[in-house]
């Protein structure tokens, strides 16, 4: 199948190219296994995206006593948030204080 693809890759006529593509897709479908193996953590697998990482903003809702257990981490996190805001404002400018429509 690959040899036929390489032989016909320079065809400029789209009608012939579409016919060859449809024939190749039909052949691929015929040769496909009736029960293709799906690995558990691959797309379509039983465990795909089962364990997702929560977004970072969830840590903003921690209670101060919970944050006090990890002082170095949250100090660095606040520093990085400030750096990110400064970088964003430098790149895009500060948001305008316009009255909200709501």
């Amino acid at each position: 199948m690959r040899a036929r693809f390489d032989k016909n890759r320079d065809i400029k006529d789209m009608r012939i190219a579409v016919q060859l593509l449809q024939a190749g897709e039909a052949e691929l479908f015929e040769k496909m296994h009736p029960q293709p193996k799906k690995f558990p953590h691959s797309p379509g697998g039983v465990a795909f995206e089962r364990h997702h990482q929560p977004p970072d903003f969830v840590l903003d809702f921690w209670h101060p006593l919970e944050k006090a257990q990890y002082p170095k981490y949250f100090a660095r996190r606040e520093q990085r948030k400030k750096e990110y805001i400064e970088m964003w404002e430098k790149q895009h400018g500060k948001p305008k204080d316009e009255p909200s429509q709501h």
Side-chain angles (χ1 to χ4, degrees):
M1 190 173 207
R2 179 67 196 190
R4 281 186 279 145
F5 175 78
D6 288 337
K7 184 178 80 172
N8 296 320
R9 72 175 164 193
D10 295 327
I11 292 179
K12 304 290 186 213
D13 189 1
M14 290 306 292
R15 293 175 294 176
I16 297 172
V18 167
Q19 290 174 352
L20 291 170
L21 178 65
Q22 289 174 345
E25 288 176 345
E27 181 182 346
L28 183 64
F29 181 76
E30 289 172 3
K31 292 184 177 184
M32 198 168 71
H33 194 276
Q35 291 180 332
K37 185 167 185 156
K38 294 181 181 176
F39 295 98
H41 294 286
S42 298
V46 295
F48 180 63
E49 292 185 344
R50 181 176 291 174
H51 304 290
H52 69 282
Q53 291 288 74
D56 186 58
F57 71 85
V58 172
L59 296 174
D60 292 333
F61 296 104
W62 279 24
H63 191 273
L65 292 175
E66 292 176 311
K67 291 180 180 181
Q69 296 175 2
Y70 307 99
K72 291 180 182 176
Y73 174 80
F74 281 99
R76 179 176 286 160
R77 185 172 183 275
E78 290 301 319
Q79 177 187 0
R80 298 273 164 84
K81 282 172 47 178
K82 288 177 185 174
E83 291 172 359
Y84 180 79
I85 290 170
E86 289 173 5
M87 181 203 61
W88 193 91
E89 288 176 349
K90 183 179 175 184
Q91 195 172 30
H92 301 287
K94 291 191 177 195
K96 297 177 183 174
D97 292 332
E98 295 180 6
S100 161
Q101 295 294 327
H102 299 276

